[in-house]
Amino acid sequence: MKLTLQIWRQKSKDEQGTFVTYNINDVSPDMSFLEMLDILNIELVKKGEEAVAFDHDCREGICGSCGVMINGRAHGPGRGIATCQLHMRSFHDGDTIIIEPWRATAFPVLKDLMVDRTSFERIMQAGGYVSAKTGGIPDGNTILIPKPIADEAFDAAACIGCGACVAACPNSSAMLFVSAKVSQLALLPQGKAEKSARVQNMVAVMDEEMFGSCSNTYACEAECPKQISVTHIARLNRELMASQV
Amino acid sequence: MKLNSKIPEGPIEKKWSNHKFHMKLVNPANRRKYNIIVVGTGLAGSSAAATLAELGYNVHAFCYHESPRRAHSIAAQGGINAPKNYSNDGDSVYRLFYDTIKGGDYRAREANVYRLAEVSGSIIDQCVAQGVPFARDYAGYLDNRSFGGAQVARTFYARGQTGQQLLLGAYSALCRQIDAGTVKFYERREMLDLIVVDGQARGILARNLVTGKLESYAADAVVLATGGYGNVFYLSTNAKASNATAAWRAYKKGALFANPCYTQIHPTCIPVSGTHQSKLTLMSESLRNDGRIWVPKNKDDQRSPKDIPENERDYYLERLYPSFGNLVPRDVASRRAKEMCDNGYGVGATKMSVYLDFSDAIKRLGKEAIKQKYGNLFDMYKQITAEDPYEVPMRIYPAVHYTMGGLWVDYNLMSTIPGLFVLGEANFSDHGANRLGASALMQGLADGYFVIPYTMGDYLASNTFKKIDTEHSAFKDSESAVEKTIATLLENNGTKAVDEYHRELGKIMWDYVGMGRNKKGLQKALELIPQLREEFWKNVKVSGSAAEINTELEKAQRVADFFELGELLATDALHREESCGGHFREEYQTEEGEAKRNDKKFSYVAAWEFKGVDKKPTLNKEPLAFEEVHLAQRSYK
């Protein structure tokens, strides 16, 4: 396949960025999207130009490092996949593909397609844990968690922290991300003791970090590579409300 | 160098508890006076950093990602072993110990392995307390499944994402300490040198991957939890950034590197599809619980797998190993798959794969049950290959996955440099020549949660530390050396990109130092690697500058180290004239094609000492004594 790529190039956090057009030939449909960028980068480097910077690592959809807007969609076409799991068979010969970084005030661009998602870290540090110290813990089977509850907690816990929910949301809201953790720990008996403080602290930091509010567009669920359900947002709202009464 | 493994006295089941009692302690009020650097925040690093901080030490944790949650531990799928005997099938600490020693083909240290089995039960409890959503039954009890190399069901799991859930557990413990101010977290930093002062590990030099600045950090002890070196093969199941640079720079500063030739090839990976391939994707070994591996009996069978009748299929693992069947250890399953393909029985366009077929299991249990167990793996397979494994058998081929070798450590997990501790995949100690499935997560967390917190205290309490800061000449010397290397790479006006060299190195490694090794091939590799390394330094092209985000520069430094490591790996493989576990020398096999050890000559750990890039490293031997387990040829028949 021959493709035209329009890629966002931005030297650093403080400089202006712009789209640059590249033509790329010999793209195989079996290539992954990131392998297609690898090939472009090798060509650029050999010409003495700078490689396009993008975050990526495991390339199997679990580390949450990768994530770009492809033709306006977070992680590109297809449901339930991260950018690294997208294959070029989803495109056609002659296509133009527009590739840009996540756009959100809380995710400043570091370079090209790479953004700073440490705002997520600060939310997690505010309470995304059970305060269990190492050692002195009773046997795992002393806490019984019936399968349906364990399964629902798992569905929430599957979040990979990629930020697609924020990128897809017209308000740049991080509600799906925050709710995934709050919901997981609210469902499990281990998380009950700290549940009020957890939800309040995490939501407070979410607001400080300039993420927007949720207006129920459900774009987050549609683009989430782990297909995390917006019902967790409902549980977050419920938990927040309950913690305040 | 005389290697002292510091294995405690006493019977094996008492060694760890006796040792814990005899180790020195640091008074709780004094712990905050000590600074500890932890490099790498995957399972081993995060759990170590969090636990040391809980104890009261000042911890500085370094990570080349933006978040600990990105570490490659996250990709582990299948599970984590613990001999809880919840399945009531006769499991015990001793059995897990025995299985691990045997699975490792009798090349691991007994005392370490016993301790690993002993503490593994507490890991499950710890993770449950953190809110890790392990699989449960309807009554709420923890569920188990079986894994290769064991005849009991002792593997705890969280769907096919166990590594993710355990890492998120350790990460949450770390988040809590960062919030409490006991851990200072440094994101997007890559360790480029170990600082040794008066023979003690006293700090690191790291590059800030955002600003490009070289930064010095001083401490009283350094913990490396930086993973394995599988990416020396270029194509592996490792994440793209997984690298050996931190461990390698420590090796060049005097830490010994043990058993580099013990590399594990995982049997169930998605086959290579073309030259563009950047990595290989593994699918959990747990698939072998319900999937049956086969090839057509007829070499040139062009029919679709569904049209090949039962009696024309060769379920070769079930045929060769009736008692373990499809659940033989990884090294055996991989080698047999390669053999089938080498003999012309492979399937698919490249004929370099074998079938992993779920049709019987789907008939027996129903599609829904299979979906519950392996849904995410089936989806992943379909996404990559555009084939639906519910309808047609998967095609699989072995790929480089895990490295059992690593920096040499004693029983306390301390390397040959005092104050440098090495945890998880980065050390060599627990898996011998082959790691059993669901044991990597176990070892990473055992080291981090339950070993280092004790042994670190003993080290700190037993030694005195001269006051130093980053103005010390050791830091300055290191900084100028690293600066020079970076400048060399950037000023080199070559014609080939880093990835191209990495791919070429990987091809040499896979062809001559891969699944089957022989003397001639290894000698060839030892000619080719230094030649290619020389060319790399003359002709590599790295664009961009040092004072910014420069992913090409990051890769170039890692690949430069892989060249040296690859040579050591081949050297070790050439010297070990026997086959054991993941190290298969074609000259040394039984009539049935199984690995043939030479216990008389090679029952030792090969620990290599750096002497200079173009000089031969010195071999040091730590003899392995087997007091508990009787040495025998492994049999899974």
Side-chain angles (χ1 to χ4, degrees):
Chain A
M1 293 196 284
K2 284 185 182 173
L3 298 167
T4 304
L5 306 175
Q6 291 186 14
I7 303 181
W8 183 260
R9 303 297 312 254
Q10 181 172 337
K11 188 106 178 103
S12 71
K13 208 169 175 169
D14 307 316
E15 283 168 70
Q16 286 277 334
T18 179
F19 280 104
V20 177
T21 304
Y22 301 96
N23 292 309
I24 180 164
N25 304 323
D26 299 327
V27 175
S28 147
D30 288 329
M31 271 180 197
S32 74
F33 190 83
L34 297 184
E35 283 167 351
M36 184 270 298
L37 288 182
D38 289 343
I39 287 168
L40 172 71
N41 273 344
I42 290 178
E43 282 177 19
L44 292 178
V45 168
K46 286 171 131 178
K47 282 193 274 182
E49 293 176 35
E50 273 194 58
V52 177
F54 61 94
D55 265 320
H56 66 101
D57 202 15
C58 77
R59 297 204 174 187
E60 48 192 82
I62 193 73
C63 75
S65 300
C66 68
V68 290
M69 293 302 265
I70 300 165
N71 293 337
R73 285 189 63 185
H75 294 304
R79 277 189 99 115
I81 53 166
T83 303
C84 62
Q85 295 169 290
L86 176 64
H87 281 70
M88 297 313 291
R89 64 180 82 97
S90 302
F91 300 92
H92 302 101
D93 190 32
D95 278 359
T96 296
I97 307 176
I98 300 166
I99 309 168
E100 53 187 322
W102 289 166
R103 306 279 190 191
T105 310
F107 291 162
V109 174
L110 289 173
K111 184 173 185 173
D112 301 336
L113 306 173
M114 202 183 259
V115 299
D116 179 359
R117 287 169 288 193
T118 50
S119 44
F120 270 8
E121 296 304 294
R122 291 183 288 275
I123 294 175
M124 286 295 291
Q125 288 156 19
Y129 47 77
V130 173
S131 298
K133 269 179 72 165
T134 308
I137 305 275
D139 188 88
N141 262 345
T142 54
I143 306 173
L144 297 181
I145 306 166
K147 187 174 185 324
I149 296 184
D151 283 351
E152 202 179 351
F154 182 94
D155 289 341
C159 168
I160 58 174
C162 64
C165 48
V166 174
C169 178
N171 313 323
S172 303
S173 167
M175 284 289 268
L176 193 64
F177 170 76
V178 178
S179 73
K181 191 46 73 182
V182 167
S183 186
Q184 176 204 345
L185 297 178
L187 281 160
L188 297 172
Q190 301 94 304
K192 294 270 195 281
E194 299 167 287
K195 65 179 207 162
S196 296
R198 175 181 307 116
V199 68
Q200 289 183 9
N201 293 338
M202 289 180 80
V203 167
V205 174
M206 177 181 85
D207 291 341
E208 278 166 30
E209 294 289 342
M210 306 291 285
F211 288 102
S213 302
C214 174
S215 54
N216 293 313
T217 67
Y218 300 174
C220 51
E221 181 184 293
E223 301 295 22
C224 173
K226 294 293 153 190
Q227 296 184 293
I228 292 174
S229 159
V230 290
T231 54
H232 297 292
I233 296 183
R235 188 172 288 108
L236 165 66
N237 284 327
R238 185 182 170 280
E239 290 294 319
L240 185 62
M241 196 83 93
S243 75
Q244 289 160 339
V245 291
Chain B
M1 189 184 292
K2 178 100 181 82
L3 291 170
N4 182 357
S5 56
K6 301 202 180 135
I7 297 169
E9 295 295 316
I12 196 148
E13 66 279 3
K14 291 270 167 41
K15 282 183 195 292
W16 179 232
S17 43
N18 285 347
H19 189 56
K20 279 195 282 187
F21 179 72
H22 289 115
M23 278 190 283
K24 287 190 183 164
L25 299 170
V26 179
N27 178 309
N30 286 336
R31 291 181 197 151
R32 74 179 90 92
K33 294 177 189 157
Y34 291 103
N35 286 292
I36 300 168
I37 284 173
V38 178
V39 185
T41 46
L43 273 183
S46 282
S47 57
T51 307
L52 289 166
E54 286 166 9
L55 288 171
Y57 299 108
N58 271 318
V59 177
H60 306 264
F62 293 80
C63 168
Y64 59 62
H65 293 111
E66 66 188 345
S67 164
R69 69 183 303 153
R70 314 261 182 244
H72 197 52
S73 312
I74 201 125
Q77 298 167 355
I80 176 167
N81 287 326
K84 292 270 202 186
N85 197 32
Y86 287 167
S87 309
N88 194 32
D89 50 6
D91 203 5
S92 63
V93 169
Y94 198 88
R95 188 178 295 281
L96 174 54
F97 156 71
Y98 175 85
D99 287 349
T100 309
I101 289 281
K102 178 185 170 194
D105 218 351
Y106 308 94
R107 288 292 176 266
R109 206 188 267 153
E110 276 191 343
N112 283 58
V113 175
Y114 194 90
R115 174 178 63 191
L116 175 66
E118 193 180 338
V119 304
S120 61
S122 305
I123 297 172
I124 304 302
D125 304 335
Q126 185 63 39
C127 297
V128 166
Q130 290 166 347
V132 169
F134 282 119
R136 303 265 177 167
D137 63 19
Y138 283 92
Y141 292 97
L142 288 153
D143 193 24
N144 291 121
R145 61 184 170 198
S146 39
F147 247 64
Q151 288 177 309
V152 293
R154 62 159 74 99
T155 304
F156 294 78
Y157 65 102
R159 264 177 234 171
Q161 286 156 248
T162 317
Q164 180 200 24
Q165 294 308 315
L166 296 181
L167 179 62
L168 294 181
Y171 161 64
S172 71
L174 183 59
C175 281
R176 177 170 167 253
Q177 296 307 314
I178 296 171
D179 191 40
T182 53
V183 173
K184 171 107 177 75
F185 182 68
Y186 302 83
E187 82 265 6
R188 295 198 195 257
R189 304 298 204 288
E190 179 155 29
M191 168 176 160
L192 292 178
D193 206 4
L194 177 76
I195 308 299
V196 180
V197 178
D198 298 336
Q200 288 173 320
R202 292 303 302 273
I204 61 165
L205 184 80
R207 181 165 177 268
N208 181 323
L209 301 181
V210 177
T211 63
K213 279 204 181 79
L214 294 177
E215 301 170 344
S216 294
Y217 298 93
D220 300 301
V222 176
V223 177
L224 294 190
T226 49
Y229 49 88
N231 270 345
V232 68
F233 290 88
Y234 185 69
L235 282 183
S236 83
T237 66
N238 285 194
K240 291 299 286 175
S242 296
N243 70 81
T245 288
W248 196 251
R249 307 278 164 111
Y251 166 70
K252 290 171 100 167
K253 280 289 173 80
L256 301 197
F257 206 102
N259 300 336
C261 78
Y262 295 162
T263 50
Q264 180 168 78
I265 316 287
H266 196 290
T268 49
C269 300
I270 299 176
V272 174
S273 75
T275 50
H276 54 266
Q277 194 98 21
S278 63
K279 77 154 276 167
L280 294 169
T281 303
L282 171 148
M283 287 171 306
S284 168
E285 161 168 329
S286 63
L287 291 171
R288 288 196 277 143
N289 270 304
D290 288 302
R292 297 178 71 197
I293 293 174
W294 63 276
V295 291
K297 281 185 183 164
N298 179 353
K299 274 187 194 180
D300 296 306
D301 206 322
Q302 299 293 325
R303 288 173 290 178
S304 134
K306 284 172 106 172
D307 298 333
I308 300 178
E310 212 42 39
N311 62 359
E312 289 179 48
R313 299 174 175 193
D314 180 10
Y315 294 93
Y316 58 89
L317 288 179
E318 296 171 28
R319 171 169 61 80
L320 293 165
Y321 308 96
S323 56
F324 279 70
N326 292 297
L327 284 176
V328 290
R330 291 173 174 179
D331 55 332
V332 179
S334 295
R335 214 155 45 234
R336 291 298 183 188
K338 176 179 189 288
E339 185 185 79
M340 287 294 155
C341 296
D342 288 351
N343 292 339
Y345 293 96
V347 298
T350 56
K351 292 190 68 83
M352 288 306 276
S353 56
V354 298
Y355 290 127
L356 175 63
D357 194 340
F358 289 87
S359 50
D360 284 351
I362 292 172
K363 260 183 238 149
R364 196 174 67 244
L365 305 165
K367 190 175 166 184
E368 200 42 46
I370 294 298
K371 197 175 174 183
Q372 274 286 321
K373 273 187 169 167
Y374 310 113
N376 68 319
L377 300 172
F378 278 43
D379 292 348
M380 188 165 87
Y381 181 84
K382 190 178 173 187
Q383 187 61 41
I384 294 172
T385 62
E387 289 172 3
D388 181 2
Y390 293 105
E391 299 300 325
V392 292
M394 289 184 173
R395 286 180 302 106
I396 56 166
Y397 196 69
V400 174
H401 177 51
Y402 186 90
T403 51
M404 284 72 68
L407 290 174
W408 185 90
V409 289
D410 63 17
Y411 187 73
N412 296 317
L413 303 183
M414 191 162 89
S415 71
T416 47
I417 300 176
L420 177 70
F421 294 81
V422 189
L423 316 184
E425 190 179 351
N427 75 28
F428 87 104
S429 70
D430 293 1
H431 306 296
N434 174 53
R435 179 176 66 73
L436 289 181
S439 286
L441 300 179
M442 173 172 74
Q443 187 223 338
L445 291 180
D447 289 358
Y449 284 135
F450 297 113
V451 180
I452 190 74
Y454 300 93
T455 59
M456 177 62 80
D458 185 47
Y459 171 74
L460 295 173
S462 314
N463 288 280
T464 50
F465 301 92
K466 198 170 84 179
K467 217 173 154 41
I468 61 156
D469 60 27
T470 54
E471 293 305 309
H472 191 281
S473 62
F475 285 96
K476 297 292 156 206
D477 295 348
S478 164
E479 195 178 322
S480 50
V482 170
E483 238 165 34
K484 215 174 120 196
T485 311
I486 290 177
T488 309
L489 286 167
L490 287 169
E491 284 159 17
N492 213 7
N493 202 10
T495 59
K496 261 160 80 176
V498 179
D499 279 353
E500 294 175 289
Y501 279 107
H502 195 176
R503 206 181 276 277
E504 276 182 53
L505 170 67
K507 183 152 171 33
I508 297 173
M509 297 304 292
W510 181 249
D511 287 349
Y512 300 110
V513 202
M515 239 189 300
R517 302 163 174 171
N518 61 53
K519 188 174 181 179
K520 228 176 117 199
L522 290 167
Q523 284 169 336
K524 180 92 184 154
L526 286 170
E527 270 171 44
L528 295 176
I529 300 167
Q531 281 170 15
L532 190 65
R533 188 183 72 222
E534 205 177 310
E535 195 204 308
F536 168 86
W537 282 103
K538 280 192 192 136
N539 194 38
V540 73
K541 172 91 186 162
V542 181
S543 56
S545 78
E548 61 181 331
I549 293 174
N550 189 336
T551 48
E552 290 296 311
L553 177 61
E554 290 164 26
K555 285 194 284 192
Q557 295 178 87
R558 295 168 189 164
V559 172
D561 289 338
F562 277 138
F563 273 111
E564 294 174 19
L565 194 152
E567 198 176 338
L568 184 69
L569 203 165
T571 304
D572 187 40
L574 181 63
H575 119 278
R576 191 166 282 277
E577 293 176 329
E578 65 163 353
S579 293
C580 54
H583 169 63
F584 193 75
R585 282 283 299 262
E586 286 156 359
E587 305 96 312
Y588 309 98
Q589 51 181 309
T590 66
E591 276 175 17
E592 292 128 340
E594 302 293 352
K596 195 167 159 194
R597 295 195 321 268
N598 181 346
D599 293 329
K600 239 184 173 154
K601 248 184 109 179
F602 289 101
S603 187
Y604 61 78
V605 175
W608 299 91
E609 192 177 345
F610 181 72
K611 290 288 171 191
V613 173
D614 286 315
K615 299 201 174 84
K616 241 185 121 47
T618 312
L619 174 63
N620 299 272
K621 297 177 184 176
E622 179 201 340
L624 289 168
F626 290 90
E627 291 164 358
E628 287 295 320
V629 178
H630 175 65
L631 287 169
Q633 197 213 316
R634 288 189 310 169
S635 170
Y636 293 95
K637 293 192 182 296

